[in-house]
Structure formats: C-alpha cells, structure tokens
Amino acid sequence: MKLLGIDFGLKRVGLAVTDPAGSMAFPLFTLTRGGRDAMFQALLAVVADEGIETVVVGYPASAGGQESLTARQAVNFAHSMARRVSLPVLLMDETLSSHAAEADLREAGLTGARLAQALDQQAAVRILQSYLASPEAAREVTA
C-alpha cells in the first residue's frame, strides 16, 4: 500500500511517499503555497501519479490537550483533502517532527538554504515513519 505523507504548513507543504509495499518513507518535494486551488491540484496530481492509496497528514498535537490554531488548520486541510480524494485521509501526531527532521538534516551536513529546502519533506518522512511504526489504534481517520 503506497502512502503520501504531508507536513502541512501555511507557507510550504512537505511531501513524502512510501515504497509500493508501504514499508519505507522517502522525501518527494516541497510545495510552496500559492493559491488553495493550485495547491490541491498539485496534491491530486501527486496522488494520481504516485498511485497513492492512503494520505497521512501531520497533526501538531499539543501537550496540554488544547487544540492550537495550527492543529485546527491541519484538521481543516485534512478534511478538505478528504473531500477531493476517494481514499482514506488520516491524521498522525507530528509532535516534534520538524525538530527531529532538522536534527537529521544537520547531522547529514545540510545547512542554510539546502537545509530549509529539504526540511518540510524530511518532516513528512518523519510523519510517515511514525505512522508506519504506530499500532492501528493510534491512527485517526479524518473522513
């Protein structure tokens, strides 16, 4: 089962995909947000071109249990995506995925613009890796 991981942001959207067996995650690319319609067109093209069967959207859960503005935006994005595709769209806790992704990239020697360019995709990889490693009960369906 091939999955698409999305690290949703207001400026950039990082994308990652799994191998066809759904066992390993790889960075795909980062979309720079323009208009909403253009973003969803690009995402739908990825879904079609890559043969995606499930979409996993990062959800920035807060430690205190209160849903933040960013978390609500991620949920709204996931619902919007679910209305546009006929496949499961899931939320996956992405707590600290960007920080861990940045640490991975710095360890690999990336800095400056190269680091910034790869960060969102690597965060999407982290989201997919968390999903793949999680028990079924930890996966939340949004649509």
Side-chain angles (χ1 to χ4, degrees):
M1 171 185 289
K2 196 160 183 188
L3 299 109
L4 173 66
I6 300 177
D7 179 45
F8 176 76
L10 296 179
K11 294 181 182 178
R12 293 176 310 278
V13 178
L15 304 177
V17 294
T18 63
D19 62 315
S23 59
M24 295 175 57
F26 303 94
L28 191 57
F29 60 87
T30 300
L31 287 171
T32 301
R33 294 266 321 254
R36 186 173 174 83
D37 290 336
M39 176 189 63
F40 280 112
Q41 283 180 337
L43 290 170
L44 294 176
V46 168
V47 167
D49 293 347
E50 294 288 332
I52 300 300
E53 298 173 59
T54 300
V55 177
V56 181
V57 177
Y59 176 76
S62 71
Q66 286 288 92
E67 189 174 65
S68 68
L69 175 60
T70 307
R72 284 193 304 274
Q73 290 167 333
V75 169
N76 289 340
F77 167 79
H79 285 295
S80 293
M81 187 71 183
R83 285 192 298 273
R84 290 169 168 84
V85 296
S86 59
L87 9 131
V89 177
L90 311 171
L91 290 173
M92 185 68 209
D93 182 8
E94 68 164 21
T95 306
L96 303 178
S97 65
S98 292
H99 295 291
E102 183 175 352
D104 290 347
L105 293 170
R106 285 191 187 282
E107 187 175 310
L110 272 70
T111 58
R114 290 182 59 213
L115 175 92
Q117 184 179 26
L119 182 58
D120 298 301
Q121 311 166 38
Q122 190 63 32
V125 166
R126 284 289 192 143
I127 291 163
L128 279 180
Q129 288 172 333
S130 294
Y131 176 83
L132 294 171
S134 68
E136 195 73 30
R139 301 171 182 175
E140 181 183 338
V141 179
T142 63

mmCIF file of all heavy atoms in Angstrom, residues 19-59:
data_model
loop_
_atom_site.group_PDB
_atom_site.id
_atom_site.type_symbol
_atom_site.label_atom_id
_atom_site.label_comp_id
_atom_site.label_asym_id
_atom_site.label_seq_id
_atom_site.Cartn_x
_atom_site.Cartn_y
_atom_site.Cartn_z
ATOM 1 N N ASP A 19 7.458 3.401 -0.299
ATOM 2 C CA ASP A 19 7.653 2.455 -1.392
ATOM 3 C C ASP A 19 6.312 1.756 -1.640
ATOM 4 O O ASP A 19 5.386 1.878 -0.822
ATOM 5 C CB ASP A 19 8.759 1.459 -1.027
ATOM 6 C CG ASP A 19 8.411 0.621 0.189
ATOM 7 O OD1 ASP A 19 7.922 1.197 1.188
ATOM 8 O OD2 ASP A 19 8.626 -0.601 0.157
ATOM 9 N N PRO A 20 6.162 1.037 -2.759
ATOM 10 C CA PRO A 20 4.871 0.386 -3.050
ATOM 11 C C PRO A 20 4.383 -0.565 -1.956
ATOM 12 O O PRO A 20 3.184 -0.740 -1.770
ATOM 13 C CB PRO A 20 5.139 -0.365 -4.353
ATOM 14 C CG PRO A 20 6.217 0.439 -5.019
ATOM 15 C CD PRO A 20 7.095 0.910 -3.875
ATOM 16 N N ALA A 21 5.301 -1.171 -1.216
ATOM 17 C CA ALA A 21 4.902 -2.081 -0.141
ATOM 18 C C ALA A 21 4.462 -1.333 1.108
ATOM 19 O O ALA A 21 3.910 -1.926 2.030
ATOM 20 C CB ALA A 21 6.056 -3.017 0.199
ATOM 21 N N GLY A 22 4.708 -0.026 1.159
ATOM 22 C CA GLY A 22 4.322 0.767 2.325
ATOM 23 C C GLY A 22 5.175 0.497 3.538
ATOM 24 O O GLY A 22 4.710 0.577 4.670
ATOM 25 N N SER A 23 6.461 0.209 3.312
ATOM 26 C CA SER A 23 7.312 -0.112 4.455
ATOM 27 C C SER A 23 8.406 0.918 4.729
ATOM 28 O O SER A 23 8.925 0.970 5.836
ATOM 29 C CB SER A 23 7.941 -1.493 4.259
ATOM 30 O OG SER A 23 8.708 -1.511 3.068
ATOM 31 N N MET A 24 8.759 1.738 3.730
ATOM 32 C CA MET A 24 9.807 2.748 3.903
ATOM 33 C C MET A 24 9.322 4.082 3.339
ATOM 34 O O MET A 24 8.624 4.112 2.331
ATOM 35 C CB MET A 24 11.085 2.327 3.180
ATOM 36 C CG MET A 24 11.720 1.086 3.756
ATOM 37 S SD MET A 24 13.150 0.519 2.810
ATOM 38 C CE MET A 24 14.192 1.952 2.854
ATOM 39 N N ALA A 25 9.739 5.177 3.967
ATOM 40 C CA ALA A 25 9.322 6.517 3.535
ATOM 41 C C ALA A 25 10.490 7.263 2.903
ATOM 42 O O ALA A 25 11.627 7.154 3.359
ATOM 43 C CB ALA A 25 8.787 7.306 4.723
ATOM 44 N N PHE A 26 10.166 8.029 1.854
ATOM 45 C CA PHE A 26 11.173 8.799 1.114
ATOM 46 C C PHE A 26 10.656 10.210 0.861
ATOM 47 O O PHE A 26 9.474 10.392 0.560
ATOM 48 C CB PHE A 26 11.461 8.139 -0.241
ATOM 49 C CG PHE A 26 11.903 6.719 -0.132
ATOM 50 C CD1 PHE A 26 10.997 5.676 -0.230
ATOM 51 C CD2 PHE A 26 13.245 6.415 0.083
ATOM 52 C CE1 PHE A 26 11.403 4.356 -0.119
ATOM 53 C CE2 PHE A 26 13.655 5.101 0.195
ATOM 54 C CZ PHE A 26 12.740 4.071 0.086
ATOM 55 N N PRO A 27 11.543 11.223 0.928
ATOM 56 C CA PRO A 27 11.101 12.585 0.613
ATOM 57 C C PRO A 27 10.709 12.686 -0.853
ATOM 58 O O PRO A 27 11.301 12.028 -1.707
ATOM 59 C CB PRO A 27 12.339 13.429 0.914
ATOM 60 C CG PRO A 27 13.490 12.496 0.968
ATOM 61 C CD PRO A 27 12.954 11.141 1.259
ATOM 62 N N LEU A 28 9.706 13.487 -1.139
ATOM 63 C CA LEU A 28 9.273 13.683 -2.523
ATOM 64 C C LEU A 28 9.656 15.097 -2.965
ATOM 65 O O LEU A 28 10.588 15.277 -3.719
ATOM 66 C CB LEU A 28 7.762 13.448 -2.632
ATOM 67 C CG LEU A 28 7.175 13.366 -4.026
ATOM 68 C CD1 LEU A 28 7.833 12.272 -4.852
ATOM 69 C CD2 LEU A 28 5.678 13.128 -3.960
ATOM 70 N N PHE A 29 8.947 16.107 -2.473
ATOM 71 C CA PHE A 29 9.294 17.503 -2.737
ATOM 72 C C PHE A 29 8.488 18.393 -1.817
ATOM 73 O O PHE A 29 7.635 17.922 -1.078
ATOM 74 C CB PHE A 29 9.103 17.901 -4.212
ATOM 75 C CG PHE A 29 7.698 17.757 -4.743
ATOM 76 C CD1 PHE A 29 6.777 18.783 -4.609
ATOM 77 C CD2 PHE A 29 7.306 16.600 -5.400
ATOM 78 C CE1 PHE A 29 5.493 18.656 -5.099
ATOM 79 C CE2 PHE A 29 6.022 16.469 -5.896
ATOM 80 C CZ PHE A 29 5.116 17.499 -5.749
ATOM 81 N N THR A 30 8.771 19.691 -1.872
ATOM 82 C CA THR A 30 8.053 20.668 -1.073
ATOM 83 C C THR A 30 7.286 21.591 -1.991
ATOM 84 O O THR A 30 7.855 22.122 -2.947
ATOM 85 C CB THR A 30 9.026 21.493 -0.206
ATOM 86 O OG1 THR A 30 9.723 20.595 0.671
ATOM 87 C CG2 THR A 30 8.296 22.538 0.624
ATOM 88 N N LEU A 31 6.005 21.749 -1.720
ATOM 89 C CA LEU A 31 5.184 22.715 -2.452
ATOM 90 C C LEU A 31 5.283 24.060 -1.746
ATOM 91 O O LEU A 31 5.141 24.122 -0.529
ATOM 92 C CB LEU A 31 3.703 22.310 -2.410
ATOM 93 C CG LEU A 31 3.230 21.140 -3.223
ATOM 94 C CD1 LEU A 31 1.785 20.808 -2.849
ATOM 95 C CD2 LEU A 31 3.322 21.458 -4.688
ATOM 96 N N THR A 32 5.534 25.100 -2.498
ATOM 97 C CA THR A 32 5.443 26.444 -1.936
ATOM 98 C C THR A 32 4.007 26.874 -2.134
ATOM 99 O O THR A 32 3.488 26.833 -3.261
ATOM 100 C CB THR A 32 6.404 27.405 -2.652
ATOM 101 O OG1 THR A 32 7.728 26.884 -2.484
ATOM 102 C CG2 THR A 32 6.324 28.793 -2.056
ATOM 103 N N ARG A 33 3.361 27.235 -1.038
ATOM 104 C CA ARG A 33 1.938 27.557 -1.102
ATOM 105 C C ARG A 33 1.702 28.811 -1.920
ATOM 106 O O ARG A 33 2.309 29.838 -1.698
ATOM 107 C CB ARG A 33 1.372 27.773 0.293
ATOM 108 C CG ARG A 33 1.348 26.575 1.178
ATOM 109 C CD ARG A 33 0.058 25.801 1.174
ATOM 110 N NE ARG A 33 -1.142 26.572 1.136
ATOM 111 C CZ ARG A 33 -1.974 26.765 2.145
ATOM 112 N NH1 ARG A 33 -1.682 26.276 3.326
ATOM 113 N NH2 ARG A 33 -3.075 27.444 1.991
ATOM 114 N N GLY A 34 0.830 28.687 -2.870
ATOM 115 C CA GLY A 34 0.315 29.830 -3.610
ATOM 116 C C GLY A 34 -1.158 29.876 -3.268
ATOM 117 O O GLY A 34 -1.536 29.907 -2.110
ATOM 118 N N GLY A 35 -1.975 29.743 -4.264
ATOM 119 C CA GLY A 35 -3.409 29.678 -4.032
ATOM 120 C C GLY A 35 -3.834 28.295 -3.581
ATOM 121 O O GLY A 35 -3.171 27.291 -3.847
ATOM 122 N N ARG A 36 -4.948 28.240 -2.899
ATOM 123 C CA ARG A 36 -5.501 26.982 -2.387
ATOM 124 C C ARG A 36 -5.802 25.997 -3.514
ATOM 125 O O ARG A 36 -5.491 24.812 -3.415
ATOM 126 C CB ARG A 36 -6.756 27.311 -1.584
ATOM 127 C CG ARG A 36 -7.378 26.152 -0.872
ATOM 128 C CD ARG A 36 -8.521 26.674 0.026
ATOM 129 N NE ARG A 36 -9.248 25.602 0.642
ATOM 130 C CZ ARG A 36 -8.882 24.970 1.750
ATOM 131 N NH1 ARG A 36 -7.780 25.327 2.353
ATOM 132 N NH2 ARG A 36 -9.613 24.007 2.253
ATOM 133 N N ASP A 37 -6.425 26.495 -4.591
ATOM 134 C CA ASP A 37 -6.771 25.613 -5.711
ATOM 135 C C ASP A 37 -5.526 25.008 -6.353
ATOM 136 O O ASP A 37 -5.503 23.815 -6.663
ATOM 137 C CB ASP A 37 -7.591 26.366 -6.758
ATOM 138 C CG ASP A 37 -9.000 26.703 -6.261
ATOM 139 O OD1 ASP A 37 -9.498 26.001 -5.348
ATOM 140 O OD2 ASP A 37 -9.592 27.660 -6.783
ATOM 141 N N ALA A 38 -4.497 25.828 -6.538
ATOM 142 C CA ALA A 38 -3.255 25.330 -7.142
ATOM 143 C C ALA A 38 -2.614 24.267 -6.252
ATOM 144 O O ALA A 38 -2.090 23.263 -6.752
ATOM 145 C CB ALA A 38 -2.288 26.490 -7.387
ATOM 146 N N MET A 39 -2.655 24.476 -4.942
ATOM 147 C CA MET A 39 -2.075 23.508 -4.019
ATOM 148 C C MET A 39 -2.803 22.167 -4.131
ATOM 149 O O MET A 39 -2.174 21.117 -4.238
ATOM 150 C CB MET A 39 -2.155 24.018 -2.574
ATOM 151 C CG MET A 39 -1.653 23.008 -1.558
ATOM 152 S SD MET A 39 -1.955 23.472 0.159
ATOM 153 C CE MET A 39 -3.733 23.507 0.231
ATOM 154 N N PHE A 40 -4.138 22.204 -4.116
ATOM 155 C CA PHE A 40 -4.876 20.946 -4.197
ATOM 156 C C PHE A 40 -4.721 20.287 -5.563
ATOM 157 O O PHE A 40 -4.664 19.058 -5.654
ATOM 158 C CB PHE A 40 -6.343 21.145 -3.821
ATOM 159 C CG PHE A 40 -6.552 21.182 -2.331
ATOM 160 C CD1 PHE A 40 -6.931 22.349 -1.696
ATOM 161 C CD2 PHE A 40 -6.343 20.051 -1.552
ATOM 162 C CE1 PHE A 40 -7.109 22.382 -0.326
ATOM 163 C CE2 PHE A 40 -6.517 20.074 -0.178
ATOM 164 C CZ PHE A 40 -6.898 21.242 0.438
ATOM 165 N N GLN A 41 -4.619 21.061 -6.629
ATOM 166 C CA GLN A 41 -4.364 20.472 -7.945
ATOM 167 C C GLN A 41 -3.038 19.723 -7.943
ATOM 168 O O GLN A 41 -2.942 18.611 -8.465
ATOM 169 C CB GLN A 41 -4.360 21.544 -9.037
ATOM 170 C CG GLN A 41 -5.732 21.999 -9.438
ATOM 171 C CD GLN A 41 -5.677 23.072 -10.538
ATOM 172 O OE1 GLN A 41 -4.673 23.770 -10.696
ATOM 173 N NE2 GLN A 41 -6.759 23.191 -11.280
ATOM 174 N N ALA A 42 -2.006 20.339 -7.368
ATOM 175 C CA ALA A 42 -0.700 19.691 -7.300
ATOM 176 C C ALA A 42 -0.767 18.419 -6.449
ATOM 177 O O ALA A 42 -0.198 17.381 -6.825
ATOM 178 C CB ALA A 42 0.341 20.656 -6.727
ATOM 179 N N LEU A 43 -1.475 18.469 -5.332
ATOM 180 C CA LEU A 43 -1.601 17.290 -4.471
ATOM 181 C C LEU A 43 -2.373 16.167 -5.168
ATOM 182 O O LEU A 43 -1.988 15.001 -5.073
ATOM 183 C CB LEU A 43 -2.275 17.665 -3.151
ATOM 184 C CG LEU A 43 -1.430 18.529 -2.217
ATOM 185 C CD1 LEU A 43 -2.276 19.038 -1.062
ATOM 186 C CD2 LEU A 43 -0.226 17.760 -1.721
ATOM 187 N N LEU A 44 -3.430 16.515 -5.861
ATOM 188 C CA LEU A 44 -4.203 15.496 -6.583
ATOM 189 C C LEU A 44 -3.369 14.874 -7.695
ATOM 190 O O LEU A 44 -3.487 13.672 -7.969
ATOM 191 C CB LEU A 44 -5.497 16.096 -7.131
ATOM 192 C CG LEU A 44 -6.501 16.531 -6.058
ATOM 193 C CD1 LEU A 44 -7.715 17.193 -6.708
ATOM 194 C CD2 LEU A 44 -6.929 15.369 -5.182
ATOM 195 N N ALA A 45 -2.514 15.658 -8.332
ATOM 196 C CA ALA A 45 -1.620 15.119 -9.359
ATOM 197 C C ALA A 45 -0.642 14.119 -8.744
ATOM 198 O O ALA A 45 -0.380 13.061 -9.323
ATOM 199 C CB ALA A 45 -0.875 16.254 -10.064
ATOM 200 N N VAL A 46 -0.121 14.436 -7.564
ATOM 201 C CA VAL A 46 0.784 13.516 -6.875
ATOM 202 C C VAL A 46 0.058 12.222 -6.538
ATOM 203 O O VAL A 46 0.581 11.127 -6.753
ATOM 204 C CB VAL A 46 1.377 14.162 -5.600
ATOM 205 C CG1 VAL A 46 2.078 13.123 -4.728
ATOM 206 C CG2 VAL A 46 2.328 15.290 -5.966
ATOM 207 N N VAL A 47 -1.154 12.336 -6.016
ATOM 208 C CA VAL A 47 -1.943 11.149 -5.670
ATOM 209 C C VAL A 47 -2.112 10.255 -6.897
ATOM 210 O O VAL A 47 -1.907 9.036 -6.832
ATOM 211 C CB VAL A 47 -3.314 11.553 -5.072
ATOM 212 C CG1 VAL A 47 -4.262 10.371 -5.003
ATOM 213 C CG2 VAL A 47 -3.120 12.164 -3.689
ATOM 214 N N ALA A 48 -2.452 10.852 -8.027
ATOM 215 C CA ALA A 48 -2.653 10.077 -9.258
ATOM 216 C C ALA A 48 -1.330 9.525 -9.801
ATOM 217 O O ALA A 48 -1.225 8.325 -10.112
ATOM 218 C CB ALA A 48 -3.333 10.949 -10.310
ATOM 219 N N ASP A 49 -0.321 10.369 -9.900
ATOM 220 C CA ASP A 49 0.955 9.964 -10.492
ATOM 221 C C ASP A 49 1.673 8.899 -9.683
ATOM 222 O O ASP A 49 2.337 8.030 -10.245
ATOM 223 C CB ASP A 49 1.890 11.178 -10.647
ATOM 224 C CG ASP A 49 1.376 12.192 -11.664
ATOM 225 O OD1 ASP A 49 0.448 11.873 -12.438
ATOM 226 O OD2 ASP A 49 1.914 13.324 -11.671
ATOM 227 N N GLU A 50 1.561 8.974 -8.372
ATOM 228 C CA GLU A 50 2.281 8.051 -7.492
ATOM 229 C C GLU A 50 1.462 6.807 -7.123
ATOM 230 O O GLU A 50 1.975 5.919 -6.455
ATOM 231 C CB GLU A 50 2.713 8.771 -6.209
ATOM 232 C CG GLU A 50 3.737 9.860 -6.432
ATOM 233 C CD GLU A 50 5.113 9.325 -6.788
ATOM 234 O OE1 GLU A 50 5.452 8.189 -6.383
ATOM 235 O OE2 GLU A 50 5.857 10.048 -7.468
ATOM 236 N N GLY A 51 0.189 6.768 -7.522
ATOM 237 C CA GLY A 51 -0.646 5.624 -7.169
ATOM 238 C C GLY A 51 -0.897 5.518 -5.671
ATOM 239 O O GLY A 51 -0.886 4.435 -5.087
ATOM 240 N N ILE A 52 -1.153 6.663 -5.045
ATOM 241 C CA ILE A 52 -1.341 6.722 -3.596
ATOM 242 C C ILE A 52 -2.652 6.051 -3.201
ATOM 243 O O ILE A 52 -3.679 6.236 -3.853
ATOM 244 C CB ILE A 52 -1.334 8.197 -3.128
ATOM 245 C CG1 ILE A 52 0.008 8.871 -3.476
ATOM 246 C CG2 ILE A 52 -1.661 8.317 -1.655
ATOM 247 C CD1 ILE A 52 1.226 8.242 -2.854
ATOM 248 N N GLU A 53 -2.602 5.297 -2.094
ATOM 249 C CA GLU A 53 -3.789 4.611 -1.585
ATOM 250 C C GLU A 53 -4.276 5.180 -0.259
ATOM 251 O O GLU A 53 -5.424 4.973 0.122
ATOM 252 C CB GLU A 53 -3.491 3.125 -1.435
ATOM 253 C CG GLU A 53 -3.153 2.461 -2.761
ATOM 254 C CD GLU A 53 -2.687 1.041 -2.574
ATOM 255 O OE1 GLU A 53 -3.445 0.227 -2.020
ATOM 256 O OE2 GLU A 53 -1.546 0.746 -2.988
ATOM 257 N N THR A 54 -3.403 5.873 0.470
ATOM 258 C CA THR A 54 -3.756 6.489 1.749
ATOM 259 C C THR A 54 -2.940 7.767 1.908
ATOM 260 O O THR A 54 -1.758 7.789 1.572
ATOM 261 C CB THR A 54 -3.462 5.541 2.934
ATOM 262 O OG1 THR A 54 -4.229 4.350 2.772
ATOM 263 C CG2 THR A 54 -3.822 6.177 4.271
ATOM 264 N N VAL A 55 -3.583 8.809 2.441
ATOM 265 C CA VAL A 55 -2.916 10.082 2.706
ATOM 266 C C VAL A 55 -2.796 10.240 4.219
ATOM 267 O O VAL A 55 -3.774 10.043 4.945
ATOM 268 C CB VAL A 55 -3.718 11.260 2.106
ATOM 269 C CG1 VAL A 55 -3.061 12.595 2.452
ATOM 270 C CG2 VAL A 55 -3.876 11.104 0.591
ATOM 271 N N VAL A 56 -1.595 10.594 4.684
ATOM 272 C CA VAL A 56 -1.349 10.784 6.106
ATOM 273 C C VAL A 56 -0.895 12.230 6.315
ATOM 274 O O VAL A 56 0.148 12.635 5.806
ATOM 275 C CB VAL A 56 -0.268 9.808 6.638
ATOM 276 C CG1 VAL A 56 -0.055 10.013 8.134
ATOM 277 C CG2 VAL A 56 -0.649 8.370 6.325
ATOM 278 N N VAL A 57 -1.694 12.978 7.067
ATOM 279 C CA VAL A 57 -1.427 14.397 7.319
ATOM 280 C C VAL A 57 -0.908 14.552 8.739
ATOM 281 O O VAL A 57 -1.498 14.013 9.681
ATOM 282 C CB VAL A 57 -2.710 15.241 7.126
ATOM 283 C CG1 VAL A 57 -2.456 16.708 7.452
ATOM 284 C CG2 VAL A 57 -3.259 15.077 5.711
ATOM 285 N N GLY A 58 0.166 15.291 8.888
ATOM 286 C CA GLY A 58 0.712 15.554 10.210
ATOM 287 C C GLY A 58 -0.213 16.427 11.030
ATOM 288 O O GLY A 58 -0.748 17.421 10.538
ATOM 289 N N TYR A 59 -0.405 16.031 12.282
ATOM 290 C CA TYR A 59 -1.266 16.767 13.204
ATOM 291 C C TYR A 59 -0.421 17.216 14.396
ATOM 292 O O TYR A 59 0.082 16.375 15.148
ATOM 293 C CB TYR A 59 -2.407 15.874 13.684
ATOM 294 C CG TYR A 59 -3.289 16.523 14.725
ATOM 295 C CD1 TYR A 59 -4.217 17.480 14.362
ATOM 296 C CD2 TYR A 59 -3.171 16.173 16.065
ATOM 297 C CE1 TYR A 59 -5.029 18.080 15.317
ATOM 298 C CE2 TYR A 59 -3.984 16.766 17.024
ATOM 299 C CZ TYR A 59 -4.907 17.719 16.640
ATOM 300 O OH TYR A 59 -5.695 18.314 17.586
#
